[in-house]
Amino acid sequence: MVSVAIMQPYFLPYIGYFQTMLAVDKYVVYDDVQFIKGGWINRNNLLINGQKRLFTISLAGASANKSINAISVGDDFVKFRRTVVMNYARAPFLEPVLEMLDEILNFDDRNLAQFIGNSLEVVRNYLGITTEILYSSALPGDAELKGEARVIAICKRLDAKTYVNSIGGMDLYARENFQANGIDLKFLRTEFIEYPQPAPVFVPGLSILDVLMSNPPARVSTMLKSYVFV
């Protein structure tokens, strides 16, 4: 009974992204679909001076007319790394997380899909998640399909009986269409667990970096399992 999730590659996304990965057998990085400007592919939030602030990594050749895997990373990450170190200098797990981050930032392949895909694999390994990661561009056929039709086609190609999507996709997919193809559609909703932060009040939904900086691996494992299906 294979379960599958399909998500665009996001750089250092929030914990819900990895909860979805944990919840399935095969995780497909949706890398050959249209790049969306202003989305979460190359940006997220951290605590900067105790406040929720957006960070963005610069890209080369970014265009809404290109697929994600046709764009390159243009950032040298010097400013980004300095920002992380300055704002999490007193975090209890700064050293191991910074080591993990350096592995991500020093990855040689600057293709956007490959770079972010590698970052997801590095974080996956750090978290002890064993889910297999695949790339949609490496799956044969079905590339001409769009939206829900392609998602269903990928699920069928991977012999999936369950498809898991984040709660934000509830308006995109219809359960009856998946059921007609022998697939159970589930939506995952994150149940945020509070943890110590260098902020006046707890701010949920930040980059996974924020979670890892403040929590031991055992607690992160508990947090990863804090979700419900709707």
Side-chain angles (χ1 to χ4, degrees):
M1 300 293 287
V2 176
S3 55
V4 168
I6 305 170
M7 289 286 289
Q8 293 183 15
Y10 294 165
F11 185 65
L12 299 174
Y14 84 123
I15 194 170
Y17 196 102
F18 296 98
Q19 289 176 325
T20 305
M21 185 184 293
L22 177 68
V24 298
D25 301 305
K26 298 179 185 290
Y27 197 89
V28 179
V29 177
Y30 215 7
D31 67 325
D32 58 350
V33 292
Q34 186 180 35
F35 175 77
I36 300 174
K37 285 190 173 182
W40 295 104
I41 294 172
N42 64 320
R43 63 180 192 163
N44 212 282
N45 289 293
L46 288 173
L47 284 176
I48 298 176
N49 296 324
Q51 301 293 321
K52 177 181 177 181
R53 292 288 184 268
L54 189 71
F55 70 81
T56 303
I57 64 171
S58 60
L59 305 177
S63 169
N65 297 319
K66 292 182 179 180
S67 60
I68 297 168
N69 61 2
I71 296 170
S72 298
V73 174
D75 210 309
D76 63 9
F77 294 105
V78 172
K79 180 180 178 181
F80 174 75
R81 189 184 188 280
R82 185 168 59 243
T83 298
V84 171
V85 172
M86 288 177 60
N87 287 277
Y88 290 91
R90 297 183 179 180
F93 298 93
L94 173 65
E95 289 189 13
V97 175
L98 198 58
E99 182 178 343
M100 180 201 70
L101 180 61
D102 284 339
E103 181 181 353
I104 290 171
L105 302 183
N106 293 327
F107 187 60
D108 289 336
D109 194 337
R110 260 21 197 183
N111 174 276
L112 180 60
Q114 292 300 314
F115 186 85
I116 297 181
N118 177 71
S119 74
L120 296 174
E121 293 184 27
V122 171
V123 176
R124 174 198 63 179
N125 295 340
Y126 184 91
L127 296 174
I129 298 173
T130 59
T131 301
E132 180 182 7
I133 294 180
L134 306 169
Y135 291 78
S136 59
S137 60
L139 299 176
D142 308 323
E144 74 283 355
L145 298 176
K146 304 295 181 183
E148 183 182 76
R150 189 170 183 209
V151 169
I152 290 174
I154 291 174
C155 287
K156 292 173 72 173
R157 186 168 297 281
L158 296 176
D159 297 321
K161 296 303 180 184
T162 301
Y163 175 65
V164 177
N165 202 88
S166 65
I167 194 73
M170 291 193 73
D171 294 333
L172 300 177
Y173 305 124
R175 278 195 167 92
E176 58 269 23
N177 295 337
F178 282 79
Q179 289 172 350
N181 286 277
I183 303 166
D184 181 23
L185 173 61
K186 295 182 178 181
F187 294 100
L188 183 147
R189 184 180 69 206
T190 298
E191 301 285 301
F192 291 105
I193 297 177
E194 292 193 18
Y195 55 88
Q197 288 178 328
V201 294
F202 178 70
V203 182
L206 300 176
S207 165
I208 190 68
L209 274 184
D210 188 81
V211 176
L212 299 179
M213 286 288 188
S214 299
N215 296 279
R219 181 165 172 79
V220 178
S221 294
T222 299
M223 296 168 71
L224 283 170
K225 297 171 185 175
S226 181
Y227 62 81
V228 295
F229 288 123
V230 297

